[in-house]
Amino acid sequence: MNKRQQIGFDHPVASDITPESVFRARRSFLGTAGVAALGGLLPAAQALAAQDGLAALPARLDPRDSTTEKPTPYSDVTTYNNFYEFGTSKSDPSRYAGSLRTRPWTVVVEGEVAKPRSFGIEDLLRLAPMEERIYRHRCVEAWSMVIPWIGYPLSQLLRQVQPTSKARYVEFVTLLDPAEMPGQNDAVLQWPYLEGLRMDEAMHPLALLTFGLYGKLLPNQNGAPVRMVLPWKYGFKSAKSIVRIRLVEKQPVTSWMRAVPNWYGFYSNVNPNVSPQNWSQAHERRIGQGSFGGLFTPQVPTRMFNGYGEQVAQLYKGMDLSKDF
Ligand SMILES: Nc1nc2c(c(=O)[nH]1)N[C@H]1C(S)=C(S)[C@@H](COP(=O)(O)O)O[C@H]1N2
Ligand SMILES: [Mo]
């Protein structure tokens, strides 16, 4: 019997509070108690939030859409990623995203909709029940993670504004503010960061409007206060720190399409059989799961649609995905 089992998951000793252990303890609680709504904050989650100043974000695990694979440690999820608004190296976002102010924050939802509206972040946090979804996450640079995100389907928000029959695509716009996002002083990409989806992709239940991870609000480097998560697409399709969602008739041109059009197409579905880039998409490195502190990261084969084909393949029926990459 380990220490946690002796003392109970909700009374951890200080040295025991690692984000992962808190998460695992809560998971086993959910496992035994059933998926009861996590009404209040669990003591362990409160302690954890105090550690890095992020508030806990209670959510109910969605076991149907969650993988049972081992989540990547919190320390890797929050220190190894891309957010070019803060620099181009993997450690830049965690180092420099502290300059981003996420309150107050509003998201404008406009375009081909009957009821355009701007939503304050507090409204968005209350709009629908929070769900925890443990998704695989695959970057086009051939590394991957398993991340317990918290949010609700984007469809819940889009329904509120009543899309018109002309709404065929959705465009996501990240904040433009070179003072808070110093990477925007470099012309590596055209700013603000733009991404897009077809309407049926945006309405798909897996398309998560995301506010948190590992039981808490998003750290800035992971796209606070609100971002998209699209587990069947390469990571760059999931725009962070969104301020505008525009419903449009024509397919938007995204930042990455504009920067390197022959590498990055509009769809960008995870596809091990198509590598428009000059490197292979057939395998991926699972960050944080190797021996010797992740030095020898295991290579795993990449799956079509990142393993979500059963849910999303029908969206692309009749399309030639080697052309529409
Ligand atoms: N606004 C913005 N969103 C972005 C990016 C970015 O540079 N700017 N990078 C993308 C890429 S390439 C990846 S892999 C993921 C990485 O961050 P995450 O691990 O928090 O999802 O964010 C995506 N969203
Ligand atoms: Mo990426």
Side-chain angles (χ1 to χ4, degrees), residues 148-165:
W149 300 109
I150 301 170
Y152 50 76
L154 175 68
S155 63
Q156 306 256 26
L157 172 62
L158 296 185
R159 275 194 204 106
Q160 301 270 322
V161 296
Q162 299 177 15
T164 70
S165 58

Side-chain angles (χ1 to χ4, degrees), residues 20 35 85 123-124 138 156 160 189 196 269 290 311:
E20 217 197 345
V35 187
E85 284 85 339
D123 302 334
L124 287 178
R138 169 63 157 80
Q156 306 256 26
Q160 301 270 322
L189 287 176
N269 290 312
Q311 289 106 303

Side-chain angles (χ1 to χ4, degrees), residues 24-305:
R24 294 196 167 284
R26 194 157 57 89
R27 174 71 354 89
S28 62
F29 164 73
L30 287 168
T32 51
V35 187
L38 240 50
L41 306 183
L42 296 176
Q46 276 173 333
L48 176 60
Q51 235 180 17
D52 65 5
L54 293 166
L57 182 57
R60 180 190 156 123
L61 174 71
D62 172 358
R64 203 194 46 182
D65 293 320
S66 291
T67 173
T68 54
E69 286 155 274
K70 184 175 178 245
T72 305
Y74 185 81
S75 55
D76 290 309
V77 171
T78 56
T79 60
Y80 187 94
N81 64 8
N82 286 321
F83 199 166
Y84 275 27
E85 284 85 339
F86 299 102
T88 55
S89 97
K90 302 286 163 281
S91 53
D92 284 343
S94 65
R95 275 200 214 141
Y96 302 119
S99 54
L100 175 66
R101 278 180 287 121
T102 59
R103 295 292 187 284
W105 190 277
T106 51
V107 178
V108 176
V109 189
E110 62 178 8
E112 293 295 346
V113 300
K115 299 195 160 146
R117 235 190 98 177
S118 83
F119 296 82
I121 188 66
E122 306 300 337
D123 302 334
L124 287 178
L125 284 163
R126 276 191 302 260
L127 190 95
M130 288 291 171
E131 295 171 33
E132 179 171 68
R133 303 262 186 96
I134 307 169
Y135 282 163
R136 287 180 293 276
H137 192 59
R138 169 63 157 80
C139 178
V140 74
E141 294 165 326
W143 49 268
S144 65
M145 299 189 179
V146 174
I147 305 181
W149 300 109
I150 301 170
Y152 50 76
L154 175 68
S155 63
Q156 306 256 26
L157 172 62
L158 296 185
R159 275 194 204 106
Q160 301 270 322
V161 296
Q162 299 177 15
T164 70
S165 58
K166 282 189 177 167
R168 295 190 52 225
Y169 294 91
V170 185
E171 189 179 37
F172 301 91
V173 186
T174 293
L175 177 71
L176 178 64
D177 188 333
E180 292 186 22
M181 296 178 144
Q184 290 179 338
N185 294 303
D186 293 329
V188 277
L189 287 176
Q190 180 165 305
W191 310 108
Y193 193 92
L194 296 181
E195 258 308 335
L197 296 173
R198 212 171 54 194
M199 193 63 187
D200 58 345
E201 299 179 308
M203 295 299 283
H204 193 279
L206 286 178
L208 199 69
L209 189 67
T210 301
F211 302 87
L213 60 80
Y214 264 111
K216 303 186 294 175
L217 292 176
L218 287 170
N220 286 358
Q221 60 270 32
N222 293 94
V226 57
R227 62 169 295 168
M228 284 303 299
V229 174
L230 302 152
W232 71 99
K233 291 180 181 279
Y234 292 115
F236 63 88
K237 292 298 285 183
S238 297
K240 299 180 177 183
S241 305
I242 293 167
V243 291
R244 196 172 290 274
I245 298 176
R246 211 180 280 141
L247 284 81
V248 294
E249 203 175 350
K250 294 211 179 79
Q251 183 176 295
V253 177
T254 68
S255 291
W256 283 107
M257 286 167 75
R258 184 153 284 156
V260 201
N262 37 346
W263 283 10
Y264 303 117
F266 178 78
Y267 287 94
S268 305
N269 290 312
V270 174
N271 186 344
N273 311 311
V274 174
S275 305
Q277 307 79 13
N278 59 10
W279 64 89
S280 166
Q281 297 297 344
H283 291 83
E284 62 204 59
R285 286 182 303 119
R286 266 292 158 83
I287 302 296
Q289 298 198 347
S291 45
F292 303 106
L295 199 62
F296 300 104
T297 322
Q299 290 269 350
V300 296
T302 289
R303 287 194 274 164
M304 189 65 205
F305 299 117

